[in-house]
Amino acid sequence: WENVAFGFEKMTYYGQHVSQVAANWKLVFDAFFEAYHVHHLHQKSLGDFFLDGHAVIDRQGRHVRSVLARTGYDGSLPPPERMRELVTFVFYLFPNTLIVMSPDYVNLLAIYPKSVDESVVVNSLWIDEPPATPEAEAHWAKSFDLICKVVFEGEDYRMAELGQLGLASGANDVMTLGRVEYGIRQFHDILDEALVEDAGRQAMVRRIGG
């Protein structure tokens, strides 16, 4: 069913773009775990393609699935062949990977911490079929440039960088998440649980080794 809806078996690798982001890697991830920013932060790029704040975000083990409603979605379950047309899926794969599924392309993002306040994002674009004409190649080159430099670097990553500046100022000791940010809480819970589990394993190794 998922292959029918997503068309993984037909996709073609198009290209890769690397971004340097002046923000902690977790801040870069946070934007992908809530939907209310899409219609507003991206209002001049892709905001009109989505309904305002319509999303379901659920945790699956150490992974998270987000489903964002696109313009034209009426609230009913779309048939598999129209799934990507009416909703956008974002899959978080523990620990540092995102798959963003748009109607005719997929972004595979790997986000790496470089330091406490720097990250590297490797963005690979996958499309439904290879460009068959110069016009198609020009279309995808322009689209990939827009996705990387306007939507991600100019909007999403820029907000992460501003968030990093706010945290570094020391103005707040605690950050309170709102009700529509429960996906962010799930993401950080996953990381906290993994750290606790890893600390337990290391303590056991030390006891056995001692």
Side-chain angles (χ1 to χ4, degrees):
W1 182 86
E2 289 186 349
N3 276 339
V4 173
F6 298 154
F8 282 130
E9 74 283 359
K10 298 184 297 182
M11 290 182 183
T12 298
Y13 172 77
Y14 178 79
Q16 188 177 89
H17 181 83
V18 179
S19 302
Q20 306 288 333
V21 185
N24 185 276
W25 70 286
K26 295 185 291 295
L27 282 176
V28 180
F29 267 108
D30 283 347
F32 294 92
F33 294 108
E34 49 82 3
Y36 68 84
H37 83 276
V38 174
H39 202 67
H40 305 281
L41 176 62
H42 302 306
Q43 61 179 304
K44 294 183 179 180
S45 54
L46 52 74
D48 288 342
F49 296 107
F50 292 88
L51 298 180
D52 190 6
H54 286 60
V56 175
I57 303 173
D58 61 333
R59 176 176 172 176
Q60 300 182 331
R62 283 194 172 171
H63 314 295
V64 178
R65 175 181 60 186
S66 305
V67 186
L68 286 68
R70 300 180 65 88
T71 303
Y73 176 65
D74 63 4
S76 61
L77 180 64
E81 64 273 12
R82 296 195 65 201
M83 189 70 70
R84 289 172 60 193
E85 172 190 345
L86 297 174
V87 297
T88 287
F89 285 87
V90 179
F91 295 99
Y92 163 66
L93 306 180
F94 177 85
N96 71 322
T97 301
L98 287 168
I99 301 174
V100 184
M101 306 209 61
S102 297
D104 56 351
Y105 63 89
V106 170
N107 288 109
L108 176 63
L109 305 174
I111 304 174
Y112 300 96
K114 187 175 180 181
S115 67
V116 69
D117 56 2
E118 295 178 291
S119 306
V120 176
V121 184
V122 180
N123 176 15
S124 300
L125 180 68
W126 295 77
I127 58 179
D128 284 351
E129 57 186 18
T133 64
E135 291 76 15
E137 172 59 34
H139 162 76
W140 284 115
K142 181 178 179 180
S143 296
F144 196 28
D145 191 66
L146 173 69
I147 294 164
C148 294
K149 296 182 180 178
V150 176
V151 178
F152 286 155
E153 291 183 344
E155 296 169 348
D156 285 317
Y157 304 164
R158 179 56 180 157
M159 287 299 103
E161 292 177 336
L162 292 175
Q164 183 68 49
L165 290 174
L167 291 171
S169 73
N172 296 285
D173 295 325
V174 177
M175 297 294 167
T176 301
L177 296 175
R179 292 178 62 186
V180 295
E181 296 170 318
Y182 64 94
I184 298 176
R185 179 69 272 165
Q186 291 177 333
F187 168 59
H188 287 272
D189 284 345
I190 289 170
L191 298 181
D192 289 344
E193 291 164 12
L195 289 171
V196 169
E197 183 177 311
D198 184 64
R201 281 197 300 265
Q202 292 187 40
M204 181 177 295
V205 169
R206 286 194 296 270
R207 288 196 298 270
I208 294 173

